Every structure is written in structure tokens, then in C-alpha cells.
């Protein structure tokens, strides 16, 4: 009883579950809802506002002009589709390299090599976003390494173009695909491989019929990262894409000139990501992330 | 065992080699180019020099930007540590209506594209707060960074709490310790490594963030990524960027080393 008298706060909290939960949740919720969700809601509201074409000043209204432009403007539409295509290509490319890498690491490499490769894939994650984009710039610039190195063979590089954007985004997000895929392959019980071999399956058949189905959850989990990170990016397009534009470029270019259009466009990648998540949710892969 | 033909093994090995070349040759080119005397990253390098290293170290704007990045990173880290730890305790120790929603709320700022988060904050700052006389300025940048850093601390602390038994804390309370004493002497030491890992990740995430910063940095204030970005956007990119990028590549060994030490420390604790 003495503790109740001398430690009133502790005692009060100890008695009331609601008070304990409240004292833990209030600050994070005030921050996330009060600052972030309110900001997102205000941004969505801005999409319906009216903009003065001369001063770029917005006034509260309820009109669908911005959304109409989004659908009717050919350039906007093709940019959305291009961005979607880039994000899907990056995802497929990452998976295409992550699977053989994972199989090699888990099934062929020696323990030392396995450890080395695990660190080697993780290390670039820390090297910094712009550092990696700079690395791609240095590699593919007009008089840079790629053109000079492969020029001997008569091959000229992609320069700063859409393929370079795809390569750069793959470069940036590949580890997010490679790590879950490798982990998943390692977790496949060894006797499954033995059984497959005993039943007469060759290596390729085993990979196709045993490894691939068990790999789906990891591939989907990885693809959520590669897909949504690529979809929202526009810095790569700006720095290595030449004239390539992505959804983010339109948002960034319009935020001061035409805020309603920028606001409406901000919800395009969000819609794509939500649709993608809903599509993958049925597989149950996300619960394991 | 997975039975693969010799050819298949060689093919797989070749793919791994391609991946490693693709990952590391560009980074090495950055390092080598920081010693390139030329103004553009031309290859092969004609003349090596320390010219850009000297210029970078003498560049005050660059070091001011580094200072800003450190301040913003530390600010965001402290806020994220507080909010992320509170949220982790709430979601780990209690069952309540809307738990999934709170979880989603924490992940959302990092799940949505940076440009959406950045534009949302800048819209609030410029079109809502500024007209009513509130200028967040520098603080606005820290607020935005902290928002997407919360999840880093949350994830780490939450995962650790799940493995911790609450009986030690109950024992401590039964012995008459106050809530704060119990937290300080019993609970905190048990999740300290997760707390440090979360802090490190939050700082690193903020230190590297460009897009949200573009939209929320006050005029005339550069963080390091913003400075690099502005340099790279110019047609004749200043070669000092290669120098700072080289330093960042070398610095990236630290978190990898620390995380390996932390995992080892964790294994020792168990």
C-alpha cells in the first residue's frame, strides 16, 4: 500500500488499462493523424480546388477539372502508362536476376562465399540513393566508361534515356528483391530437393516445379518494394533519363504552377500501389513480411 | 541436394558474376573519378589529381549542407525514437479496436512515394499554415523526416518486445518499483540493442532522404542530398560530387559493421 501513496502516477496507471494505452498511443496518433493524415486529406481536397491560371493561386471549390485533365491530356495519360511499364520492367528484371543469384547462394556457394555474397548484396543498400544514381551517370555518360569500354566492340551505350532509367531503378532496388528471395530458397527443406531428384527430376525441372512455387511469397514481397519504389521515383528519370518523364515529374513540375493537377496526380501512384497490394494480398504473401 | 549439370552451375555462376559487376563497377568508377582531373567523368582517365578533393574540403556550402543533414537526422531520430517506442509498446502490449489501422498509419509514410509525402507536407506548410502566420521553416523539414522515420524504430522495438516476457516487469512492479524505475532498470536494458538499431536506421533514412526534403526544405537551406542533387542537375556537374560520394561509400561500411556487431551481441545475450 505504501507504493500507492508514494507513487501516485504509477498506481493510477497500474489500475487503469485505458489510461495506460492512452498514455502510450496519444502522442504517436496526434503526430500521424494530426500532421500526416490531415496533410494527405488537405492535398486530396486541393485536387478539387480552383486555380487562377495567371497567378497560380488556389481558391477552395469543388470541381473535377484536375481529374478531367488527368484523363483527357494525352501526355499525362502516356506518362502514367510509361511509369507503370517502367515499374513492372524493373520488377521483372530484379526477379530474373534475384532467382539465379538466390539459387547459387543457397545451393552452390560454399559457406564462406555465401556469407560474402550476403554482405555484398546488403552493402550497396547503405551507399546512398544519390550516390548510386551518380554511379550510373558516371557509367553511362556520353564519354564515360560504358561507351569507352564497349565501344571497342562497336557497342554504344543507352546514354541518358528510358532504358537507363530502368537500369538505374533496378540498380537501386535490386537488394529488396534479392534478399527475400535468397532467404526463401534457403528455407526450403533439403529433402524436397532429394525427393525431386529421386523421382528423376533434373535440376531445371526441380527449379521449375519445386522451387518456383515455394518462392512466390518471397517474389511478391520483393516485388512490392521494387514496384512501389520505382513507381514513385522521378529523380532517376530527371538525372539519367534524358527527356523521360514519370508520374513524379508531373507532380513536382505542377506543385507551384497548378497545385490541383499536382494533387490529383499524387493519387495516381497511390492508386496503382493500392491496386497492386490488393492484387497480391490474396496470395497471403504480405503477412510474412 | 539440387542436382545441376556442370553447364547449369557455370551459367548460374556467370549470372552471379554479372550481378556483382553491375553492382560494384559503377561504385568503383565513382571512387576512381573523384581523382579524375577532368571536369567531366570521361573514360579512360587522362590525368589523375587531388584537385577536387582539395576543392571539396574547402567548400563551405558543402559542409554547411552536411551539418544541416546531421541536425535534421538527429532531430528526426529523437522524435522517431519517442513516437516509435511508444507505438511499439501500445501495439505489442495491448489489444484494441483499430490496432491494424494504427499499424498501417505507421507504415504509410514510407509506403507512399516520397513525392506524395513531400507534396502533402509542403501543401500544408505553404497553403494552410503560412496564411495563418505559422512559419515552420527548418522545423518543418524535421517534422516531415520524423514522420517517415517512426516506422524504423517501431519495427525494431516491436520485434524485440514480442520476444520479451512481461513477467520480469511484473516482478519489478510487485517489488514496489515505480513505472519509470521498472522501465529504466528492467525493460529498457532488454530492448536496448533494438532501440539503438532503430535509431541508426532512422538517422540513416533521414540522412539519405532527398525527395521529401526537396519539398519541405526552407529556401536557401541545403541538406547534403539536396546539395548533391543541385550539383548533379547542372549541365557541367562539379566533380566535387564524386568526392563526397566516395566518402559516403566508405561511410556505408560503418552501419554494416555495426549491424553485424549488434547481431553478434544479440546472439551473446541469448
Amino acid at each position: 500500500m505504501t507504493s500507492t501513496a508514494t507513487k501516485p502516477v504509477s498506481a493510477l496507471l497500474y489500475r487503469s488499462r485505458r489510461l495506460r494505452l492512452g498514455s502510450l498511443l496519444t502522442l504517436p496518433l496526434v503526430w500521424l493523424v494530426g500532421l500526416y493524415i490531415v496533410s494527405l486529406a488537405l492535398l486530396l481536397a486541393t485536387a478539387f480546388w480552383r486555380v487562377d491560371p495567371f497567378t497560380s493561386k488556389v481558391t477552395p471549390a469543388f470541381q473535377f477539372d484536375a481529374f478531367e485533365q488527368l484523363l483527357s491530356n494525352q501526355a499525362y495519360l502516356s506518362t502514367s502508362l510509361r511509369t507503370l511499364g517502367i515499374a513492372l520492367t524493373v520488377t521483372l528484371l530484379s526477379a530474373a536476376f534475384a532467382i539465379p543469384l538466390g539459387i547459387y547462394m543457397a545451393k552452390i556457394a560454399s559457406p564462406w562465399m555465401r556469407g560474402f555474397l550476403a554482405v555484398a548484396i546488403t552493402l550497396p543498400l547503405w551507399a546512398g540513393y544519390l550516390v548510386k544514381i551518380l554511379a550510373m551517370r558516371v557509367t553511362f555518360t556520353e564519354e564515360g566508361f560504358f561507351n569507352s569500354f564497349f565501344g571497342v566492340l562497336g557497342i554504344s551505350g543507352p546514354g541518358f534515356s528510358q532504358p537507363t532509367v530502368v537500369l538505374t531503378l533496378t540498380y537501386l532496388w535490386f537488394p529488396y528483391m534479392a534478399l527475400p528471395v535468397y532467404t526463401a530458397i534457403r528455407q526450403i527443406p533439403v529433402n524436397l530437393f532429394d525427393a525431386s531428384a529421386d523421382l528423376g527430376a533434373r535440376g531445371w525441372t526441380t527449379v521449375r516445379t519445386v522451387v518456383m512455387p515455394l518462392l512466390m511469397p518471397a517474389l511478391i514481397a520483393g516485388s512490392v518494394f521494387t514496384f512501389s519504389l520505382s513507381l514513385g521515383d522521378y529523380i532517376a528519370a530527371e538525372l539519367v533519363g534524358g527527356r523521360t518523364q514519370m508520374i513524379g515529374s508531373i507532380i513536382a513540375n505542377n506543385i507551384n504552377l497548378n497545385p490541383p493537377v499536382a494533387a490529383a496526380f499524387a493519387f495516381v501512384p497511390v492508386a496503382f500501389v493500392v491496386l497492386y497490394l490488393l492484387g497480391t494480398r490474396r496470395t497471403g504473401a504480405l503477412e510474412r513480411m | 541436394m539440387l542436382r545441376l549439370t556442370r553447364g547449369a552451375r557455370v551459367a548460374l555462376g556467370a549470372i552471379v558474376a554479372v550481378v556483382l559487376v553491375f553492382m560494384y563497377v559503377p561504385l568503383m568508377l565513382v571512387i576512381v573519378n573523384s581523382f579524375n582531373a577532368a571536369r567531366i567523368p570521361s573514360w579512360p582517365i587522362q590525368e589523375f589529381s587531388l584537385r577536387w578533393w582539395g576543392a571539396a574540403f574547402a567548400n563551405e556550402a558543402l559542409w554547411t549542407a552536411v551539418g544541416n543533414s546531421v541536425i535534421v537526422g538527429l532531430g528526426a531520430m529523437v522524435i522517431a525514437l519517442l513516437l516509435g517506442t511508444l507505438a511499439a509498446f501500445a501495439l505489442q502490449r495491448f489489444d484494441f479496436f483499430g490496432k491494424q489501422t494504427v499499424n498501417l498509419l505507421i507504415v504509410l509514410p514510407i509506403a507512399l512515394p516520397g513525392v506524395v509525402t513531400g507534396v502533402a507536407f509542403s501543401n500544408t506548410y505553404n497553403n494552410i499554415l503560412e496564411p495563418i502566420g505559422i512559419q515552420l521553416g527548418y522545423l518543418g523539414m524535421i517534422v516531415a523526416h520524423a514522420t517517415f522515420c517512426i516506422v524504423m524504430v517501431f519495427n525494431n522495438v516491436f520485434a524485440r518486445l514480442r520476444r520479451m516476457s512481461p513477467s520480469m516487469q511484473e516482478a519489478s512492479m510487485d517489488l514496489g518499483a515505480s513505472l519509470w524505475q521498472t522501465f529504466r532498470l528492467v525493460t529498457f536494458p532488454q530492448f536496448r540493442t533494438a532501440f539503438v538499431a532503430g535509431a541508426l536506421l532512422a538517422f540513416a533514412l533521414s540522412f539519405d532522404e532527398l525527395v521529401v526534403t526537396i519539398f519541405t526544405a526552407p529556401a536557401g537551406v541545403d541538406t547534403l542530398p539536396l546539395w548533391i542533387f543541385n550539383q548533379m542537375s547542372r549541365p557541367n556537374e562539379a566533380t566535387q560530387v564524386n568526392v563526397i560520394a566516395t566518402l559516403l561509400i566508405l561511410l556505408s561500411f560503418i552501419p554494416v559493421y555495426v549491424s553485424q556487431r549488434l547481431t553478434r551481441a544479440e546472439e551473446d545475450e541469448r
Side-chain angles (χ1 to χ4, degrees):
Chain A
M1 270 293 99
T2 48
S3 67
T4 316
T6 54
K7 302 182 182 91
V9 179
S10 298
L12 188 65
L13 284 173
Y14 189 78
R15 256 184 275 128
S16 167
R17 186 181 167 279
R18 265 165 181 269
L19 219 56
R20 262 182 293 157
L21 179 60
S23 64
L24 288 172
L25 263 186
T26 307
L27 270 179
L29 281 187
V30 164
W31 188 282
L32 286 167
V33 176
L35 287 169
Y36 190 56
I37 298 299
V38 165
S39 289
L40 285 177
L42 286 170
L43 183 67
L44 182 60
T46 309
F48 298 98
W49 288 9
R50 183 176 294 120
V51 63
D52 186 316
F54 296 107
T55 62
S56 292
K57 277 241 155 53
V58 285
T59 41
F62 189 73
Q63 55 178 29
F64 289 89
D65 288 25
F67 289 98
E68 263 166 45
Q69 282 190 52
L70 210 115
L71 293 171
S72 61
N73 189 325
Q74 201 56 43
Y76 288 170
L77 205 63
S78 63
T79 302
S80 298
L81 291 176
R82 183 186 315 121
T83 307
L84 194 63
I86 291 175
L88 287 172
T89 315
V90 169
T91 301
L92 289 177
L93 214 58
S94 300
F97 281 95
I99 296 168
L101 175 70
I103 293 176
Y104 183 88
M105 283 171 73
K107 294 293 159 197
I108 299 176
S110 64
W112 181 87
M113 190 65 181
R114 187 179 299 147
F116 169 78
L117 286 173
V119 173
I121 321 178
T122 331
L123 203 64
L125 274 178
W126 293 95
Y129 172 78
L130 278 173
V131 171
K132 278 177 273 186
I133 295 184
L134 175 70
M136 290 317 248
R137 259 177 96 100
V138 169
T139 309
F140 289 109
T141 187
E142 196 60 40
E143 288 155 41
F145 174 80
F146 192 93
N147 283 343
S148 148
F149 195 80
F150 289 97
V152 185
L153 306 169
I155 301 170
S156 86
F160 292 164
S161 62
Q162 192 173 323
T164 314
V165 174
V166 171
L167 276 180
T168 303
L169 292 172
T170 310
Y171 188 54
L172 283 166
W173 316 130
F174 177 71
Y176 292 96
M177 178 69 89
L179 289 171
V181 166
Y182 160 63
T183 313
I185 297 178
R186 277 219 77 181
Q187 282 168 353
I188 299 174
V190 181
N191 50 21
L192 285 185
F193 291 99
D194 293 338
S196 175
D198 289 346
L199 292 168
R202 306 282 292 271
W204 170 240
T205 314
T206 306
V207 168
R208 199 163 44 82
T209 57
V210 178
V211 178
M212 283 307 287
L214 291 170
L215 218 51
M216 279 324 278
L219 281 172
I220 289 167
S223 76
V224 170
F225 284 99
T226 55
F227 180 78
S228 48
L229 288 169
S230 305
L231 200 69
D233 195 279
Y234 74 98
I235 302 294
E238 201 164 313
L239 291 178
V240 299
R243 293 171 62 191
T244 311
Q245 284 226 323
M246 290 178 72
I247 294 174
S249 329
I250 295 181
I251 302 173
N253 293 340
N254 278 299
I255 187 65
N256 292 319
L257 294 173
N258 193 340
V261 164
F265 240 104
F267 290 88
V268 175
V270 176
F272 280 146
V273 170
V274 168
L275 283 176
Y276 192 81
L277 285 175
L278 288 176
T280 55
R281 208 167 87 154
R282 277 188 291 164
T283 60
L286 299 180
E287 271 95 74
R288 296 185 213 181
M289 270 162 70
Chain B
M1 264 319 288
L2 180 62
R3 282 185 205 156
L4 291 165
T5 60
R6 221 184 113 74
R9 281 165 183 268
V10 172
L12 284 174
I15 293 174
V16 173
V18 167
V19 169
L20 286 182
V21 165
F22 177 59
M23 280 177 122
Y24 282 93
V25 167
L27 288 178
M28 283 171 198
L29 288 175
V30 169
I31 298 176
V32 174
N33 253 299
S34 71
F35 301 102
N36 188 345
R39 204 163 259 288
I40 53 164
S42 51
W43 194 270
I45 292 173
Q46 306 292 337
E47 188 195 345
F48 288 90
S49 107
L50 284 173
R51 181 178 163 196
W52 305 115
W53 282 81
F57 279 101
N59 188 336
E60 243 169 74
L62 167 60
W63 296 105
T64 312
V66 172
N68 283 331
S69 274
V70 171
I71 295 170
V72 173
L74 288 177
M77 182 186 88
V78 169
I79 297 170
L81 278 175
L82 175 68
L83 299 180
T85 309
L86 285 173
F89 269 88
L91 265 69
Q92 175 57 39
R93 296 284 162 85
F94 295 90
D95 265 318
F96 55 91
F97 179 74
K99 195 170 164 173
Q100 288 302 320
T101 315
V102 176
N103 203 337
L104 182 72
L105 261 179
I106 295 167
V107 183
L108 201 63
I110 200 152
L112 293 186
V115 63
V116 174
T117 302
V119 165
F121 274 117
S122 94
N123 180 51
T124 308
Y125 295 167
N126 297 333
N127 298 335
I128 312 289
L129 293 181
E130 219 178 87
I132 58 167
I134 302 175
Q135 288 253 4
L136 282 180
Y138 207 96
L139 199 64
M141 185 161 50
I142 298 180
V143 165
H145 277 225
T147 304
F148 62 75
C149 286
I150 296 173
V151 65
M152 288 297 165
V153 178
F154 172 82
N155 274 350
N156 276 278
V157 174
F158 185 85
R160 176 62 57 86
L161 287 179
R162 196 159 53 185
R163 298 209 310 258
M164 277 165 50
S165 144
S167 54
M168 293 251 264
Q169 289 152 66
E170 281 159 16
S172 162
M173 300 286 277
D174 286 347
L175 291 168
S178 73
L179 217 57
W180 173 239
Q181 279 175 321
T182 304
F183 180 80
R184 193 165 49 90
L185 299 172
V186 179
T187 318
F188 185 69
Q190 283 182 281
F191 74 88
R192 192 168 39 204
T193 47
F195 193 76
V196 173
L200 194 76
L201 285 168
F203 182 82
L205 195 66
S206 160
F207 196 81
D208 197 34
E209 176 59 41
L210 170 65
V211 178
V212 173
T213 321
I214 290 179
F215 295 103
T216 54
V221 174
D222 269 356
T223 62
L224 181 58
L226 212 50
W227 183 86
I228 297 177
F229 178 65
N230 289 335
Q231 297 289 308
M232 283 169 74
S233 304
R234 289 177 194 161
N236 259 345
E237 82 192 45
T239 325
Q240 291 173 38
V241 169
N242 287 314
V243 174
I244 194 73
T246 301
L247 289 176
L248 288 174
I249 293 170
L250 296 179
L251 273 178
S252 70
F253 284 94
I254 296 177
V256 175
Y257 176 76
V258 171
S259 71
Q260 294 230 326
R261 282 296 294 268
L262 278 178
T263 0
R264 218 168 295 159
E266 227 169 87
E267 276 159 10
D268 290 346
E269 272 172 30
R270 255 180 269 151

